[in-house]
Amino acid sequence: MPGSGSRSTEPLIALVSTRAVLTQPDDSLVLCPATILFSPDTGKIISIVQAVLPRDCFADQVVYVDHSPNILMPGLVDAHVHLNEPGRTEWEGFNTGTKAAASGGVTTVVDMPLNAIPPTTTLAGFREKLAASEGQCWVDVAFYGGIIPGNAHELLPLIEAGVRGFKGFLIESGVDEFPAVSSKDIALAMGTLKDSPTTLMFHAEMIPPIADSVGDVALHSEPPLAPHGELTSYSTFLESRPPAFETYAVEEILSMAEMAPLLHLHIVHLSATECIPILRAARARGINITAETCFHYLGLASDDIEDGDTRHKCCPPIRSRTNQDCLWAELSSPDGCIKTVVSDHSPCTPELKLLPAHLRAPDVGEPGMAMHHSDSGIDMTLPKGEAARDEAEKRGDFFAAWGGISSVGLGLPILHSAAAARADCGERVPSLLDMVRLCSQATAKQVGLSHRKGSLRVGMDADVCVFDDTQIWTLCTGDMRWKNKCSPWEGHRFTGRVCETWVRGRKVFQLDGPNSGFVAGQPTGQAIVERRTS
């Protein structure tokens, strides 16, 4: 086999299995036996043979591991993660967030421009974030910049510094340092970025306007859907954030797309399937727009959320099982508009979730009152007559609780388990190859990293996920590697578990291995700051 001899200072690694997901020269994927040889020194794949070669084909110094019948696949590229450092490290941080990623076969995460302080909306803020990441990352980390009112002049310098794309909100984000953009701000960003190899992404929710037009009035009108009903009832929260929030926002974005016809536009965390025909029609007209959805929209449904269980709060919201069925159908469609699946890992402290007593961990204290937010899309400041409402009464309040779901590193088990359950019911679901495309290959392409990430082929980074697709397990608190052990996935039963994770030729995680599985001993992940070229 080519490369069996080694001039490197560290032994070459040969991983073999009867099942591996490889990328062909035409970028198609194939499941076949494989022997993958790579170098820890260069971090690159040296050679691949579509067969299981025996140990005696290699020099004695080569480390040979047969993982059969487990699956070798490219490491996942999670293109939507909030690591929150610096500034809100009590919520999450580079060390814990990337550990969680590594434990689930994620070898690259792309960090969102919020909720760190400062956000990545200026070159200075980006440099501060890079400094905070040094020596802390267990997987490779790339970065997005943000678009907010007044920062258009910062966008091109951020591209030069290596950000992979930009995100803006059409509704208030929930944190003061990352305000929503108006149509004028979007137009300015599109004009600035129209000739750059980047992606302009949107949190596509907008309060439906009272006027006939879908313009800036939508950001300043009185909220027409203030809650009516019990604030601890998930149905009250869901009704306050209907699909129209998403469809209006998507239509607003599309109305401006002609300003930058070559610019890749992208809708993050699509929840409402009413957006799908709108996006499909736009793509048919030649508009360069795609969408992503999230693991929680595919694995959780509003039908099953108990009153008060604010662990499930996120924006856009988790919708009905009928809506979920349509998301799965779009994933299975070869010409679908949903091209990627991501975690949108958006943690906070348990106190901010305002969990009722029966869901609270023993060490969770009382919620603080210092932080105001409006991430429900409308300002939920209580009327004066209710301002003194007892703290205990806020427990389980879906409007007062912070919105966001912790799940980085759980994506592959969630997707695989949910697909298997649907297949058992006779439904058409994405195959294993489709899952690799959605979570590795296409996410790498989305952020301009497909030349080195998201595929197993010669010359690529040796990022490998070893997946046991038969292991049945239940998520408990000890399995949560992120900082705050609060997630709606706790107690869920999964089929399929990541056994090992390799990042650029080095094993960083081994299930049940020493050091709580983090066998590398210390973080070796890198910040990806190469200038995007595609």
Side-chain angles (χ1 to χ4, degrees):
M1 181 174 183
S4 293
S6 173
R7 296 180 181 177
S8 62
T9 58
E10 292 189 62
L12 299 182
I13 311 292
L15 299 187
V16 306
S17 178
T18 52
R19 295 188 297 166
V21 180
L22 306 179
T23 302
Q24 303 282 67
D26 63 356
D27 287 338
S28 63
L29 299 172
V30 61
L31 179 65
C32 62
T35 300
I36 304 171
L37 188 73
F38 52 82
S39 166
D41 285 333
T42 65
K44 299 293 185 180
I45 297 174
I46 297 172
S47 61
I48 297 177
V49 173
Q50 292 189 18
V52 174
L53 298 183
R55 178 68 181 87
D56 59 13
C57 287
F58 299 90
D60 291 342
Q61 64 267 31
V62 173
V63 177
Y64 178 94
V65 185
D66 187 346
H67 282 291
S68 303
N70 293 337
I71 302 165
L72 304 180
M73 62 175 64
L76 279 67
V77 178
D78 192 338
H80 193 142
V81 175
H82 295 265
L83 293 175
N84 301 339
E85 187 171 3
R88 288 195 176 95
T89 51
E90 70 275 16
W91 293 14
E92 190 60 279
F94 285 105
N95 188 284
T96 50
T98 58
K99 268 189 170 181
S103 71
V106 178
T107 52
T108 305
V109 299
V110 191
D111 180 56
M112 280 289 165
L114 73 165
N115 298 305
I117 303 174
T120 315
T121 53
T122 67
L123 187 57
F126 184 36
R127 288 171 176 161
E128 193 168 336
K129 178 171 282 191
L130 288 173
S133 74
E134 288 183 9
Q136 291 209 72
C137 300
W138 292 82
V139 302
D140 289 348
V141 181
F143 302 87
Y144 292 121
I147 59 169
I148 60 172
N151 84 323
H153 64 287
E154 296 277 0
L155 304 185
L156 294 181
L158 283 167
I159 288 177
E160 291 297 323
V163 302
R164 316 311 299 175
F166 296 89
K167 178 186 181 181
F169 279 70
L170 274 70
I171 198 168
E172 291 305 324
S173 69
V175 292
D176 292 341
E177 67 274 6
F178 206 96
V181 289
S182 68
S183 58
K184 293 179 182 177
D185 299 317
I186 295 171
L188 194 55
M190 286 183 171
T192 303
L193 300 174
K194 62 183 176 66
D195 296 319
S196 298
T198 192
T199 299
L200 182 56
M201 309 179 299
F202 298 96
H203 180 125
E205 288 186 288
M206 176 182 284
I207 297 173
I210 295 173
D212 290 336
S213 63
V214 183
D216 292 348
V217 65
L219 294 175
H220 306 293
S221 60
E222 291 298 316
L225 298 175
H228 299 286
E230 292 294 327
L231 302 186
T232 57
S233 170
Y234 188 79
S235 62
T236 303
F237 172 63
L238 183 58
E239 289 166 6
S240 77
R241 205 142 185 147
F245 273 39
E246 294 187 63
T247 57
Y248 272 115
V250 168
E251 288 169 345
E252 172 75 353
I253 294 160
L254 291 174
S255 73
M256 307 174 72
E258 62 183 16
M259 297 180 182
L262 300 181
L263 181 62
H264 177 211
L265 306 176
H266 184 73
I267 306 301
V268 300
H269 48 47
L270 181 75
S271 169
T273 53
E274 288 83 350
C275 295
I276 290 174
I278 301 171
L279 290 168
R280 277 181 167 249
R283 288 171 57 81
R285 297 194 305 270
I287 295 177
N288 185 13
I289 190 165
T290 56
E292 69 190 35
T293 194
C294 301
F295 301 115
H296 45 270
Y297 299 136
L298 297 170
L300 302 171
S302 61
D303 313 55
D304 306 317
I305 299 175
E306 296 182 1
D307 288 353
D309 192 350
T310 51
R311 294 176 301 178
H312 292 82
K313 181 186 175 180
C314 60
C315 299
I318 296 165
R319 301 191 187 276
S320 69
R321 190 170 291 112
T322 301
N323 184 84
Q324 184 185 81
D325 291 343
C326 294
L327 288 174
W328 278 96
E330 188 69 4
L331 286 187
S332 300
S333 174
D335 58 348
C337 61
I338 300 176
K339 298 299 185 184
T340 53
V341 183
V342 296
S343 71
D344 187 14
H345 176 70
S346 186
C348 66
T349 60
E351 292 86 352
L352 291 175
K353 276 294 187 183
L354 299 174
L355 294 172
H358 71 284
L359 294 175
R360 294 166 60 198
D363 59 345
V364 174
E366 291 301 312
M369 294 298 293
M371 181 181 175
H372 168 74
H373 62 82
S374 57
D375 73 330
S376 293
I378 51 180
D379 189 342
M380 287 305 300
T381 303
L382 293 170
K384 289 184 179 179
E386 299 180 36
R389 184 158 57 107
D390 182 72
E391 274 302 310
E393 293 182 15
K394 291 184 179 179
R395 294 286 180 191
D397 183 336
F398 280 98
F399 293 86
W402 179 259
I405 288 179
S406 295
S407 63
V408 66
L410 277 183
L412 188 55
I414 292 168
L415 198 59
H416 181 265
S417 302
R422 286 177 170 270
D424 288 344
C425 296
E427 297 181 32
R428 180 187 176 191
V429 296
S431 67
L432 177 67
L433 298 184
D434 292 327
M435 294 179 200
V436 170
R437 173 177 51 81
L438 291 162
C439 302
S440 299
Q441 186 182 48
T443 45
K445 181 180 179 181
Q446 177 182 312
V447 296
L449 289 174
S450 58
H451 61 291
R452 56 178 289 199
K453 301 288 187 184
S455 297
L456 293 181
R457 59 182 169 191
V458 174
M460 301 289 283
D461 285 358
D463 295 344
V464 183
C465 167
V466 182
F467 185 57
D468 178 352
D469 60 335
T470 64
Q471 185 174 154
I472 297 173
W473 61 291
T474 299
L475 181 73
C476 63
T477 304
D479 298 314
M480 300 180 195
R481 310 288 185 158
W482 48 80
K483 181 167 289 186
N484 293 292
K485 317 304 183 187
C486 177
S487 174
W489 294 108
E490 183 176 1
H492 278 251
R493 191 168 181 257
F494 299 109
T495 300
R497 195 167 195 181
V498 171
C499 301
E500 289 184 3
T501 304
W502 296 72
V503 178
R504 284 177 288 100
R506 298 179 185 276
K507 183 162 63 175
V508 297
F509 177 78
Q510 178 180 320
L511 185 64
D512 299 325
N515 195 30
S516 300
F518 296 97
V519 293
Q522 59 185 4
T524 57
Q526 296 177 352
I528 298 175
V529 292
E530 63 181 65
R531 191 183 188 281
R532 181 171 177 173
T533 59
S534 64

